[in-house]
Amino acid sequence: ETGVTQTPRHLVMGMTNKKSLKCEQHLGHNAMYWYKQSAKKPLELMFVYNFKEQTENNSVPSRFSPECPNSSHLFLHLHTLQPEDSALYLCASSRQTGDPTDTQYFGPGTRLTVL
Amino acid sequence: AQSVAQPEDQVNVAEGNPLTVKCTYSVSGNPYLFWYVQYPNRGLQFLLKYITGDNLVKGSYGFEAEFNKSQTSFHLKKPSALVSDSALYFCAVRDMSAGGSEKLVFGKGTKLTVNP
């Protein structure tokens, strides 16, 4: 449960605000992921980082800007969001990408509400 | 493209009874299948995975899943349900299309309610 932590757990922001979500993993992994979970929709992969390098951007709008300063930390910078961006944002980590048998471990998520 | 289907939005069982949460998959190549559970206001917790080998996979909290290649299914099971098992369950398959090996494709989820 504490292997992947996320802060804040809840965030309310206006459309003109700038905020950041933080994720930290204590599992010694090298890959980190951002997912979006909206009501009534399957989980959507947003970004993938492997050894601090972005390996996937799943056509995410530029108002979401990820940052991975090291293998243990992942940020998601938010600016000029829209109400439809309200969702649960989940961070995950795994040993590294490229291994189809690898397991991803998830954090508790940040519940984002955009007013 | 890889995909999974969870045909039931909701499953209700009585405490002590066996439970099954269904999942079918569609893949090109070998399937790598996962089950996760999500409790209210929490992230996803890994339960078990099928990579290769025995068709019956045992996981956390007494859960197991049966891989059936001919029926392309990977149903989650537990012999005796607990009220505390009530949660949202997700089946996922690894996307092995070109450049997609890090992608997990999730089903829409099945809400399990165990009644006392």
Side-chain angles (χ1 to χ4, degrees):
Chain A
E1 277 286 333
T2 59
V4 182
T5 58
Q6 291 186 242
T7 54
R9 294 293 309 275
H10 300 272
L11 178 63
V12 179
M13 60 186 290
M15 289 190 285
T16 59
N17 291 157
K18 289 185 179 181
K19 296 287 184 183
S20 295
L21 310 185
K22 179 183 176 182
C23 175
E24 183 173 0
Q25 59 93 4
H26 310 274
L27 300 171
H29 290 164
N30 296 300
M32 297 190 78
Y33 312 76
W34 279 116
Y35 285 86
K36 177 182 179 182
Q37 186 179 27
S38 304
K40 308 295 185 183
K41 292 176 70 175
L43 268 76
E44 302 170 60
L45 178 65
M46 300 174 71
F47 301 103
V48 181
Y49 279 81
N50 195 42
F51 292 94
K52 303 189 298 179
E53 299 297 320
Q54 187 180 120
T55 59
E56 184 149 353
N57 176 336
N58 202 25
S59 302
V60 180
S62 60
R63 57 186 183 269
F64 294 92
S65 175
E67 179 190 0
C68 189
N70 55 62
S71 292
S72 297
H73 294 85
L74 184 66
F75 295 88
L76 187 63
H77 303 300
L78 316 170
H79 62 100
T80 60
L81 295 191
Q82 305 298 312
E84 59 264 30
D85 296 323
S86 299
L88 182 67
Y89 288 85
L90 293 165
C91 174
S93 72
S94 70
R95 283 179 298 180
Q96 63 184 70
T97 62
D99 179 359
T101 70
D102 200 14
T103 299
Q104 293 180 20
Y105 294 90
F106 287 77
T110 294
R111 173 70 63 187
L112 174 66
T113 303
V114 182
L115 301 176
Chain B
Q2 271 60 239
S3 66
V4 291
Q6 294 181 243
E8 300 159 318
D9 290 338
Q10 195 157 337
V11 171
N12 295 293
V13 298
E15 188 174 29
N17 283 1
L19 69 87
T20 299
V21 183
K22 296 180 180 178
C23 173
T24 58
Y25 65 89
S26 174
V27 300
S28 53
N30 294 325
Y32 301 97
L33 297 157
F34 300 76
W35 274 104
Y36 286 84
V37 60
Q38 186 177 33
Y39 297 100
N41 300 314
R42 305 278 285 278
L44 275 67
Q45 293 181 33
F46 169 70
L47 281 177
L48 50 80
K49 64 182 176 184
Y50 174 81
I51 304 302
T52 187
D54 288 341
N55 291 340
L56 187 64
V57 180
K58 293 190 182 297
S60 306
Y61 312 120
F63 284 93
E64 57 190 25
E66 186 172 9
F67 172 72
N68 188 316
K69 188 173 183 178
S70 62
Q71 297 184 6
T72 62
S73 67
F74 188 55
H75 300 333
L76 182 71
K77 300 182 179 186
K78 188 173 183 181
S80 179
L82 300 172
V83 173
S84 57
D85 293 329
S86 299
L88 194 55
Y89 290 81
F90 291 95
C91 181
V93 65
R94 183 77 70 184
D95 184 351
M96 295 302 294
S97 58
S101 62
E102 55 269 26
K103 276 186 181 178
L104 272 179
V105 177
F106 286 86
K108 61 182 181 179
T110 298
K111 183 180 179 182
L112 172 68
T113 301
V114 181
N115 302 302

